[in-house]
Amino acid sequence: MGLEEALPSGILLTTVENVIGYARKSSVWPATFGLACCAIELMATGGARHDLARFGMERASNTPRQADLMIVAGRVSQKMAPVLRQIYDQMSEPKWVISMGVCASSGGMFNNYSIVQGVDHIVPVDIYLPGCPPRPEMLLDSIVKLHDKIQNMKLGADRDKQITELEQARLRRLPLVPSLQSAAPGSGADGAAAAGDAAPEGTVTRQ
């Protein structure tokens, strides 16, 4: 018989991290930051059909100091990049970023000098949302995934340990280029095992 069964009705056991994570994920306040056509889909998500309010996110803040989520909706120009960074720096901690659309995530079709080739060059990104433009249902799915990430976030020293473990796991991943693996000497089972032991070079992103 578990401890929960021995307790009277109405008693729920949990941890402080779960309570704080539940409170954080249920009260995310997005900043109004639409840049291009993806902002139309972002506005549609707040309408009656998709009802962003059921996630506790109906309060779009007009000031960054009252927001903790930045949804970068659209392409980011070089002229807008310092403004975006300034708004991000003024947001309250802890804060998160969703890169909405392929233009915000990688520059999209605008592979030129005037467009930032990925907003992660300016701010750390938590969720990448593909599409051109992504539908409101896709944005809702990314918000649910962000809520799950916030819910399972550790606190204090456990948070630092979690970040270190995630970074090491990312560094241990094999390259996603099959042609290079097959061309390398010993690319069979033994070669794959040896490659798995060595950590490839890579860029550590925000976890």
Side-chain angles (χ1 to χ4, degrees):
M1 182 175 66
L3 181 60
E4 293 83 359
E5 299 177 0
L7 293 174
S9 177
I11 300 298
L12 179 65
L13 298 179
T14 185
T15 63
V16 175
E17 288 182 344
N18 287 337
V19 172
I20 294 178
Y22 181 81
R24 283 178 173 176
K25 78 167 188 177
S26 303
S27 59
V28 177
W29 288 357
T32 54
F33 202 81
L35 294 174
C37 45
C38 285
I40 304 299
E41 303 296 328
L42 173 60
M43 288 183 277
T45 309
R49 181 185 180 102
H50 301 92
D51 192 17
L52 194 60
R54 57 198 166 122
F55 298 99
M57 300 175 59
E58 71 276 7
R59 187 194 180 281
S61 301
N62 292 319
T63 169
R65 292 177 177 85
Q66 297 179 357
D68 52 10
L69 171 63
M70 173 184 286
I71 303 177
V72 184
R75 57 190 179 271
V76 182
S77 64
Q78 297 288 351
K79 189 175 182 179
M80 182 59 68
V83 180
L84 186 147
R85 181 67 200 195
Q86 181 180 9
I87 293 176
Y88 176 81
D89 291 337
Q90 292 176 349
M91 290 169 58
S92 59
E93 292 282 355
K95 51 192 173 184
W96 301 275
V97 176
I98 294 179
S99 179
M100 182 178 179
V102 66
C103 292
S105 300
S106 63
M109 67 189 78
F110 302 99
N111 187 12
N112 54 48
Y113 65 92
S114 62
I115 300 299
V116 177
Q117 302 301 302
V119 72
D120 51 2
H121 292 281
I122 310 300
V123 294
V125 177
D126 295 280
I127 301 291
Y128 292 92
L129 175 58
C132 183
R135 292 284 299 149
E137 294 85 357
M138 299 173 65
L139 178 58
L140 291 177
D141 180 72
S142 66
I143 289 174
V144 171
K145 286 182 171 60
L146 179 63
H147 284 179
D148 181 70
K149 183 175 183 179
I150 296 173
Q151 174 71 56
N152 298 316
M153 182 181 296
K154 301 293 184 180
L155 300 177
D158 293 336
R159 175 61 179 162
D160 298 334
K161 181 180 178 181
Q162 182 187 31
I163 293 176
T164 302
E165 291 176 353
L166 292 173
E167 288 179 346
Q168 294 300 324
R170 187 178 292 267
L171 288 173
R172 285 193 299 267
R173 290 181 181 176
L174 293 175
L176 299 178
V177 185
S179 59
L180 295 179
Q181 294 180 4
S182 60
S187 58
D190 298 337
D197 297 335
E201 296 181 358
T203 303
V204 178
T205 58
R206 180 184 180 188
Q207 302 295 332

